[in-house]
Amino acid sequence: MQNQSTPIKQILQGLYRDDIVKVQGLVRTFRQSKNVAFIAINDGSTFESLQVVLGDGLGDNLYEQLGTGAALEIEGTVVASPAAGQSWELQATDLRITGPAGSEYPLQKKRHSLEYLRSIGHLRPRTNTFNAVFRLRSFVSHAIHRYFEQRGFYWMHTPIITANDCEGAGEQFRVTTLPRITSDDDFGQDFFGQPASLTVSGQLEGEALATALGKIYTFGPTFRSENSNTSRHLAEFWMIEPEVAFADLDDMLDLAEDFIISIVQQVLEHCQSELNFFEQFVESGLLQKLQAVSREPFARITYSDAVAILQKCGEDFEYPVQWGADLQAEHERYLCENHMGKPVFVTDYPADIKAFYMKLSDDERTVRAMDLLLPGIGEIIGGSQREDRHDVLKKRMEQFGIDCHAMSWYLELRRFGNQPHAGFGLGLERLLQYLSGMGNIRDVIPFPRAPRQI
Ligand code: ATP
Ligand code: MG
Ligand code: MG
Ligand code: MG
């Protein structure tokens, strides 16, 4: 294997004093003086760059190719740095340029606007900001798997191509075959003659799995044809959906709270340099916010309480607050940012504004649903106890105009070995926005999919 380099992060931690190491990465800056030239090289292991000293005319015939963006392999000795700021540098003994970048390389400046960087999605991972975001994304993804595995959950893969519209919100992308790979008869007939779409949620299939395996979670891509240009919606995002048999709504509140706190604590412990970077350049107060959230219990209020609070608060909202109407983003923000000043679970929403599969309460006006609202983000989790009574579920499906014949498998879960169960869905990108302070959801996923962005 060619890649036997030493991560720059470890060199800067002082683990290689006086050792000979090989470093591979990209030139951030290059400058030369009389007898010596300096390269700042970055390999993605940390947002910091390692200073490399090219003494004795090493590579001096290559100086033209050593501009910002060039890819290099360098061997040398790690020595204590006399320069201010960094403690370690590399005295190069060998240098190989695998690819120069030239003066047209777009990332010449130190800072670029996030908007501009979005237009060069293939290069923006090379910036400090996106280095940090994508390392955080990787860490959090692993932490999520660890969290569930340690608690006995099975990771299940639910289909991406499906005939179910779980949310009933008509936000699916349809799947269509192309003429050259199907017979003429099938053309325009979607999935081998049947209508199919990309999944908006793996929940319904997840329920079937939970009734067999007890505790499962899904973690995969989810698709919604959101034609809304908000900073919180993508057409393709990653969702985490635990589903637990013999559980009720309160169990889900406890699980969701413990989950968020655990992820925040792990990020605080293991992603310190990334968090310091975000604190400095993205959201001042981020560390304090995360430390506070990892200590304090979340607030829990019912939808009816929330409406009463919003109606009494005297705030001039754009949308009126009325029992029976869905909470708007401005209402959610008010509740968790102004009123509570911390994460808030809102439970027991009106039955008419939530999905058909949520358990109807005894009052028959509300369902056992919850949303978790985070300051600065709004809704990050939506969950519920599932309707486990066959006849009530069937009636709800009919009310919502859902094809009970096509969904007979789902009803059958209530006929055979019925069990109460509950679960929730959490958007990975919204969690990453919360953890990094990044304001636009398109900046926490490597290649965002949104209207006019493919
Ligand atoms: P919103 O009200 O913000 O549109 P939702 O109620 O439609 O969200 P759910 O169906 O409850 O979303 O999905 C569960 C979670 O998935 C949400 O709480 C959110 O974290 C995430 N999510 C939903 N839609 C999107 C999207 N378009 N882009 C990114 N994340 C999303
Ligand atoms: Mg939505
Ligand atoms: Mg919502
Ligand atoms: Mg929701």
Side-chain angles (χ1 to χ4, degrees):
M1 176 155 124
Q2 290 295 303
N3 185 333
Q4 286 180 339
S5 58
T6 303
I8 286 174
K9 182 177 183 174
Q10 293 179 7
I11 295 174
L12 293 178
Q13 283 168 345
L15 302 179
Y16 290 92
R17 151 169 260 165
D18 299 328
D19 286 349
I20 293 172
V21 298
K22 180 158 114 183
V23 171
Q24 296 168 320
L26 295 167
V27 174
R28 282 293 174 82
T29 56
F30 173 70
R31 64 199 162 81
Q32 59 186 104
S33 57
K34 251 197 238 135
N35 309 318
V36 58
F38 299 97
I39 300 170
I41 184 172
N42 182 279
D43 67 354
S45 63
T46 165
F47 54 83
E48 286 175 276
S49 301
L50 176 66
Q51 166 148 292
V52 180
V53 186
L54 303 181
D56 295 335
L58 178 70
D60 56 4
N61 54 340
L62 299 173
Y63 281 6
E64 267 189 10
Q65 297 179 45
L66 276 172
T68 302
L72 310 175
E73 290 183 318
I74 301 174
E75 258 175 39
T77 310
V78 178
V79 297
S81 171
Q86 223 164 52
S87 334
W88 304 95
E89 64 182 28
L90 193 69
Q91 293 282 352
T93 50
D94 194 23
L95 163 78
R96 196 164 83 88
I97 299 174
T98 63
S103 60
E104 283 168 24
Y105 182 60
L107 299 176
Q108 301 282 355
K109 278 195 308 182
K110 209 152 181 198
R111 301 235 142 249
H112 299 268
S113 75
L114 293 171
E115 207 159 41
Y116 169 67
L117 292 174
R118 251 169 255 148
S119 73
I120 48 168
H122 58 302
L123 294 176
R124 73 173 184 169
R126 301 182 183 193
T127 61
N128 279 340
T129 304
F130 287 94
N131 252 228
V133 168
F134 297 148
R135 277 196 304 273
L136 179 72
R137 187 178 171 105
S138 170
F139 178 85
V140 170
S141 301
H142 285 300
I144 289 167
H145 283 304
R146 275 196 304 273
Y147 178 89
F148 286 115
E149 191 181 27
Q150 284 166 2
R151 286 159 184 80
F153 283 72
Y154 297 104
W155 178 26
M156 288 290 118
H157 305 120
T158 50
I160 284 173
I161 297 175
T162 176
N164 303 323
D165 176 10
C166 174
E167 291 305 307
E171 288 178 337
Q172 303 137 290
F173 289 106
R174 292 296 288 270
V175 173
T176 313
T177 45
L178 294 173
R180 71 192 151 76
I181 52 168
T182 53
S183 72
D184 285 350
D185 292 349
D186 282 346
F187 178 53
Q189 286 292 310
D190 302 332
F191 189 75
F192 305 109
Q194 278 186 297
S197 55
L198 299 180
T199 184
V200 294
S201 160
Q203 178 201 312
L204 302 185
E205 293 93 346
E207 287 183 51
L209 293 161
T211 63
L213 293 153
K215 296 197 276 188
I216 66 104
Y217 72 106
T218 71
F219 185 177
T222 308
F223 309 87
R224 294 189 187 183
S225 63
E226 313 265 9
N227 200 0
S228 55
N229 273 298
T230 76
S231 56
R232 306 185 310 146
H233 290 91
L234 290 164
E236 177 179 294
F237 63 99
W238 284 61
M239 186 142 66
I240 296 108
E241 297 184 273
E243 189 72 34
V244 185
F246 299 101
D248 64 12
L249 186 68
D250 290 332
D251 295 324
M252 287 308 102
L253 300 190
D254 293 343
L255 178 67
E257 180 168 333
D258 185 65
F259 170 83
I260 298 280
I261 289 176
S262 165
I263 299 295
V264 168
Q265 282 171 344
Q266 290 184 62
V267 166
L268 280 168
E269 191 177 336
H270 298 285
C271 302
Q272 277 166 4
S273 59
E274 284 77 17
L275 290 188
N276 289 337
F277 179 85
F278 296 133
E279 169 83 37
Q280 191 181 347
F281 295 107
V282 181
E283 179 184 341
S284 86
L286 176 74
L287 285 167
Q288 221 184 350
K289 170 186 96 178
L290 296 179
Q291 275 149 6
V293 94
S294 70
R295 282 194 300 261
E296 262 190 77
F298 298 178
R300 300 180 179 197
I301 57 174
T302 64
Y303 167 89
S304 300
D305 292 341
V307 167
I309 291 167
L310 293 165
Q311 283 174 339
K312 268 189 255 150
C313 72
E315 198 82 1
D316 190 17
F317 294 118
E318 191 185 333
Y319 293 89
V321 184
Q322 248 179 321
W323 201 99
D326 208 357
L327 299 178
Q328 300 297 318
E330 55 175 347
H331 307 137
E332 297 180 345
R333 270 203 312 273
Y334 182 87
L335 287 171
C336 59
E337 288 165 23
N338 305 64
H339 189 77
M340 298 288 187
K342 59 168 158 175
V344 181
F345 285 109
V346 180
T347 64
D348 301 286
Y349 282 80
D352 292 344
I353 59 170
K354 287 287 180 186
F356 71 93
Y357 51 73
M358 299 184 176
K359 180 156 181 143
L360 201 59
S361 301
D362 294 341
D363 64 14
E364 300 206 347
R365 294 172 76 214
T366 58
V367 281
R368 300 251 60 204
M370 63 99 150
D371 275 7
L372 175 60
L373 314 177
L374 294 186
I377 301 290
E379 177 184 336
I380 187 164
I381 288 180
S384 65
Q385 185 167 338
R386 317 309 186 188
E387 182 55 75
D388 54 335
R389 295 160 295 183
H390 180 277
D391 294 345
V392 179
L393 179 62
K394 189 149 183 273
K395 218 170 116 198
R396 289 270 290 163
M397 286 167 75
E398 282 160 2
Q399 272 170 11
F400 277 76
I402 288 162
D403 182 347
C404 290
H405 179 67
M407 292 285 286
S408 58
W409 68 271
Y410 186 68
L411 282 159
E412 241 174 44
L413 296 174
R414 279 74 178 164
R415 268 180 61 204
F416 305 132
N418 188 34
Q419 42 195 281
H421 58 289
F424 64 78
L426 171 133
L428 173 67
E429 287 75 18
R430 292 205 189 155
L431 178 60
L432 291 172
Q433 282 189 279
Y434 185 69
L435 295 169
S436 66
M438 296 298 282
N440 192 321
I441 197 164
R442 296 169 199 212
D443 296 332
V444 293
I445 187 165
F447 298 100
R449 296 293 177 241
R452 287 173 298 287
Q453 193 151 41
I454 183 138

